[in-house]
Amino acid sequence: MEELITGNGFIEKMRESLWGNMEDEEALRRGLITDLDRLHGEKAIRRSQAARIAHHTLLYRGEPDEADWSAARGLKDLYSCSTCVNHIAQVFAKGIMEEQTKGLFGVDECITCSQAQETIRRIADKSFRRVPKRSDVPEKVRFLQEGEAQRMLGEDRRILLVDVRSRKDYAQGHRQGSVNVPLKDLALNPRMICADTQAVIFLYCARGYQSALAAGLLVDAGYKNVSVIPGLQEAEGEYGGIS
């Protein structure tokens, strides 16, 4: 059996290869690690923990997040940890960490020394990454143009308009009349959106990627009338109902 790497060992490899031998206090300040990482550093590091550190390392190195991380949609354990969703989705969609077994990222499994080394190599050099194919959105999801979405919203006040961005983003501006159900919360329980699976639901985010993922979750959960409408950045300059 291949040797597992501890949290301290993983952090040390990151420090040497990607952080410029940064001290722990500086790594803490920059959000690359947490106090819990240091507290449990002697234990084998779990894949979800490694994904978080890898993701923050990418951001530290100036690599922006992937707007379209639909490739991670097929991971059955993607939403098992609500705080890990974006970390796992990003490192998976970028081809830095692969699924452990078919359809499973292996959130609670530990990584080996060779897997840690490969993760670091892929962060440093994009040519080594194995980027997965994007996931298709279910055919039952409708994609509406801005004008059609506005018309339908004006004609039917029963339409449930849902913003699936984070609460922070929602607070900074959103479509009038919308409610906020963040994607990571929706993923834990799609039925939280409403009890009526026949309800007409319009979803939006910033650029349409998160709302497409949310739509897939709702269709899979049995909702029959799900539509994705242009995100705020897509509709900028066309839609006046943003508050």
Side-chain angles (χ1 to χ4, degrees):
M1 183 176 179
E2 193 172 354
E3 182 182 1
L4 300 177
I5 191 169
T6 65
N8 285 342
F10 186 76
I11 290 170
E12 186 59 32
K13 286 183 178 294
M14 285 284 185
R15 188 196 325 277
E16 294 174 352
S17 303
L18 303 171
W19 298 351
N21 291 313
M22 183 188 302
E23 297 293 335
D24 278 0
E25 292 305 320
E26 180 67 10
L28 281 167
R29 188 182 70 80
R30 292 181 178 274
L32 293 169
I33 60 174
T34 68
D35 286 323
L36 287 176
D37 292 325
R38 295 201 297 179
L39 181 64
H40 302 294
E42 296 302 323
K43 297 180 179 179
I45 189 170
R46 292 182 295 115
R47 288 174 58 80
S48 58
Q49 183 184 356
R52 169 175 51 77
I53 295 173
H55 180 212
H56 284 305
T57 298
L58 288 165
L59 296 175
Y60 165 70
R61 290 169 58 86
E63 183 172 334
D65 280 349
E66 293 292 323
D68 182 357
W69 42 269
S70 61
R73 181 175 177 269
L75 296 175
K76 298 180 178 64
D77 56 347
L78 174 63
Y79 304 104
S80 61
C81 170
S82 60
T83 59
C84 303
V85 175
N86 194 38
H87 304 313
I88 294 170
Q90 288 298 325
V91 298
F92 182 79
K94 288 176 178 289
I96 291 169
M97 294 180 70
E98 300 171 276
E99 58 188 4
Q100 186 74 340
T101 56
K102 185 65 176 178
L104 290 171
F105 184 77
V107 173
D108 293 321
E109 295 185 37
C110 300
I111 69 172
T112 65
C113 292
S114 62
Q115 288 173 333
Q117 193 60 49
E118 185 62 24
T119 296
I120 291 169
R121 184 169 75 150
R122 293 178 183 182
I123 291 174
D125 189 339
K126 293 183 179 181
S127 68
F128 291 109
R129 299 182 186 181
R130 297 181 180 179
V131 179
K133 294 181 179 179
R134 295 176 180 178
S135 175
D136 293 329
V137 179
E139 294 182 359
K140 295 180 181 179
V141 176
R142 296 178 62 197
F143 288 83
L144 304 179
Q145 297 297 318
E146 183 63 26
E148 183 179 10
Q150 287 191 47
R151 177 184 61 78
M152 294 178 68
L153 287 167
E155 293 175 351
D156 189 349
R157 294 185 177 276
R158 295 172 299 177
I159 294 175
L160 180 58
L161 179 60
V162 183
D163 186 322
V164 300
R165 298 174 302 151
S166 69
R167 292 182 176 85
K168 179 180 178 181
D169 288 341
Y170 182 80
Q172 293 175 349
H174 53 268
R175 288 181 182 262
Q176 291 178 0
S178 66
V179 295
N180 183 214
V181 184
L183 175 61
K184 69 175 185 179
D185 295 338
L186 190 64
L188 295 175
N189 179 18
R191 292 300 184 98
M192 70 184 294
I193 204 162
C194 71
D196 183 8
T197 57
Q198 299 294 331
V200 179
I201 302 170
F202 283 8
L203 304 170
Y204 77 90
C205 57
R207 291 183 291 267
Y209 298 117
Q210 293 185 71
S211 51
L213 291 173
L217 290 170
L218 293 183
V219 169
D220 290 345
Y223 290 88
K224 308 299 183 184
N225 298 297
V226 181
S227 297
V228 172
I229 67 174
L232 293 186
Q233 292 185 18
E234 297 175 291
E236 189 175 3
E238 299 180 27
Y239 185 75
I242 299 175
S243 60

